[in-house]
Amino acid sequence: MAAETEVQLMMSVGLIEKDTNGDSLWVWCYPSVSAELRELLLRKCCLTDKKGALHTFVFGQFRRLWYYITTAEAQDQATLKKVTHFSVVLTAKDFNPEKYAAFGHILCRMYLRHGSPVKMLEGYITVLTKGICQSEENGSFLVKDYDVRKAYLAGSIRDVVNQFGMETVILYTALMLKRRIVVHHPRLEALLEFTRSLPTLVWHRKDWSILHPYVHLNDCELDALKVCTGYIAGFTDPEIGNRSELYDVYVNLPESEIVVSQFAKDAMAMGKLHKDVGQLIIQAAADPDRSDSQVVKDLAAKTREILSTLTSLAECAGSKITLEHLRQRRFPPATETFLYHLAAAEQMLEI
């Protein structure tokens, strides 16, 4: 069963090399990668970074395809004389950074040892067909060891709350309403770590397709982003702060600053309901006896309460909620606005 699932999930394996002249090129892939995707993966691969920063592992998403890039140094290797560094690129349909980092690391070691993609291909095919990759010198990799639920909970929601405190509820509100969140940090690893935690704020959806943790200010990537209803998009380029057309909420991580854009302020107005949610998150995160997953569970229980209120309102209204129906309930203005936009996000609003 595991192997069958992998056939459906893993899409390709590729290899990028940086030679002694400083050129970075695609040298091999299986089965194939489109020209557009090759160009994107070369951009994501740190081997083409003019600053020369070496990222041993990066991941991201483009048009619902996940990519995982593991990079290694090849200097002084007899098998790779003209290569200084290389990257193994895996593409897949599932979000599971730990799984693909482990597999990418094994493929890197195979390439270092043999200097040929043949062994890598064998390893890739074995995982596709049997869900396992084993070799004496490179260790073993078992697909079944990497539960997707663990991948979802690998980020720390407590770290987010520790950094932003009560303002975490702004992120929660934006995600509940399927708004566009843009996050900036110049250090890629910090960006990946922070952004992957945010979907846990709306655990009831278990939807990591909203996550685009590593985006360049490139027309092709931005066009792909713009067709998404709501998203969490990470950028290392500080210029993103000036691109207000791309976000409803802007998070400047180094400055611990959250900004709600002018045109999203009405929908994102905060009231007593938001304060209650914010206090719950802070109290749960501050409790040393509670794990990150318990903090997520506490918030999910509060979210279920809010959604059940919405469901009962819809049932009273017939099937869908109208603004008029909400007004009859005399909710405080900010709560009414939030429930109205939430009903739209949950497709419970009569248009």
Side-chain angles (χ1 to χ4, degrees):
M1 184 65 194
E4 282 175 26
T5 309
E6 284 311 293
V7 173
Q8 294 158 11
L9 296 178
M10 287 207 304
M11 300 303 288
S12 71
V13 58
L15 185 65
I16 300 168
E17 286 183 348
K18 186 172 190 173
D19 62 25
T20 47
N21 298 323
D23 296 322
S24 299
L25 298 164
W26 270 90
V27 292
W28 173 81
C29 71
Y30 173 84
S32 64
V33 173
S34 70
E36 179 186 54
L37 193 56
R38 279 191 190 207
E39 191 183 311
L40 176 121
L41 294 169
L42 272 169
R43 189 161 56 246
K44 301 301 172 190
C45 163
C46 61
L47 303 185
T48 55
D49 189 345
K50 290 181 176 66
K51 294 171 191 167
L54 184 69
H55 305 292
T56 52
F57 180 69
V58 302
F59 62 89
Q61 186 198 174
F62 179 68
R63 299 194 195 281
R64 292 201 170 258
L65 186 71
W66 289 96
Y67 58 83
Y68 302 93
I69 306 173
T70 309
T71 301
E73 214 168 333
Q75 282 166 336
D76 306 322
Q77 285 288 327
T79 51
L80 298 164
K81 285 179 183 170
K82 292 184 178 176
V83 178
T84 62
H85 300 81
F86 66 92
S87 296
V88 169
V89 183
L90 290 159
T91 65
K93 290 181 181 175
D94 62 326
F95 171 80
N96 204 320
E98 285 68 32
K99 175 169 81 168
Y100 292 107
F103 187 33
H105 187 55
I106 283 179
L107 294 177
C108 277
R109 287 197 305 217
M110 284 180 172
Y111 192 56
L112 273 173
R113 183 177 173 84
H114 300 282
S116 155
V118 174
K119 285 287 177 191
M120 284 170 50
L121 179 58
E122 284 175 12
Y124 181 80
I125 298 289
T126 311
V127 169
L128 272 182
T129 54
K130 297 179 182 171
I132 185 169
C133 176
Q134 233 169 352
S135 63
E136 283 174 31
E137 70 274 13
N138 293 315
S140 63
F141 168 81
L142 272 81
V143 164
K144 65 180 176 62
D145 289 346
Y146 298 92
D147 181 356
V148 70
R149 193 182 161 90
K150 280 187 184 170
Y152 289 165
L153 290 167
S156 173
I157 204 64
R158 185 177 260 113
D159 287 352
V160 176
V161 179
N162 287 345
Q163 183 168 1
F164 289 103
M166 197 66 177
E167 285 197 311
T168 307
V169 80
I170 299 173
L171 301 173
Y172 170 80
T173 305
L175 288 163
M176 286 289 281
L177 302 184
K178 297 186 178 177
R179 297 289 165 144
R180 302 165 305 157
I181 298 174
V182 156
V183 183
H184 165 255
H185 199 295
R187 196 165 64 80
L188 180 55
E189 284 77 8
L191 193 63
L192 297 178
E193 191 180 333
F194 180 85
T195 54
R196 74 175 294 179
S197 304
L198 296 184
T200 56
L201 289 169
V202 282
W203 181 254
H204 68 289
R205 292 190 188 129
K206 293 184 187 62
D207 181 13
W208 262 251
S209 71
I210 61 172
L211 179 61
H212 304 260
Y214 184 26
V215 186
H216 281 85
L217 284 170
N218 164 279
D219 287 345
C220 174
E221 291 185 48
L222 296 181
D223 287 346
L225 199 60
K226 284 172 186 172
V227 299
C228 303
T229 310
Y231 51 74
I232 300 155
F235 293 79
T236 56
D237 188 339
E239 171 58 27
I240 185 60
N242 301 321
R243 301 290 297 270
S244 57
E245 78 280 7
L246 293 172
Y247 60 80
D248 299 305
V249 174
Y250 174 64
V251 183
N252 184 336
L253 263 188
E255 302 296 325
S256 295
E257 182 184 40
I258 297 178
V259 177
V260 178
S261 74
Q262 204 58 43
F263 48 83
K265 277 193 169 155
D266 288 348
M268 297 281 297
M270 298 286 139
K272 185 181 180 301
L273 178 65
H274 301 84
K275 189 181 176 184
D276 291 347
V277 172
Q279 284 174 339
L280 180 140
I281 298 171
I282 287 170
Q283 284 166 7
D287 186 344
D289 295 330
R290 301 190 87 65
S291 65
D292 264 292
S293 60
Q294 284 172 316
V295 175
V296 170
K297 203 179 281 185
D298 289 348
L299 180 57
K302 181 67 179 174
T303 300
R304 277 196 301 276
E305 272 179 40
I306 294 168
L307 291 172
S308 65
T309 300
L310 213 55
T311 305
S312 60
L313 283 169
E315 284 167 0
C316 291
S319 66
K320 299 267 185 175
I321 293 167
T322 63
L323 182 57
E324 191 52 47
H325 192 73
L326 279 172
R327 281 181 178 156
Q328 286 168 10
R329 295 303 176 107
R330 301 193 184 279
F331 288 112
T335 303
E336 181 188 282
T337 302
F338 174 67
L339 291 174
Y340 177 77
H341 288 285
L342 181 59
E346 295 288 332
Q347 297 181 320
M348 294 164 76
L349 187 71
E350 190 166 302
I351 297 163

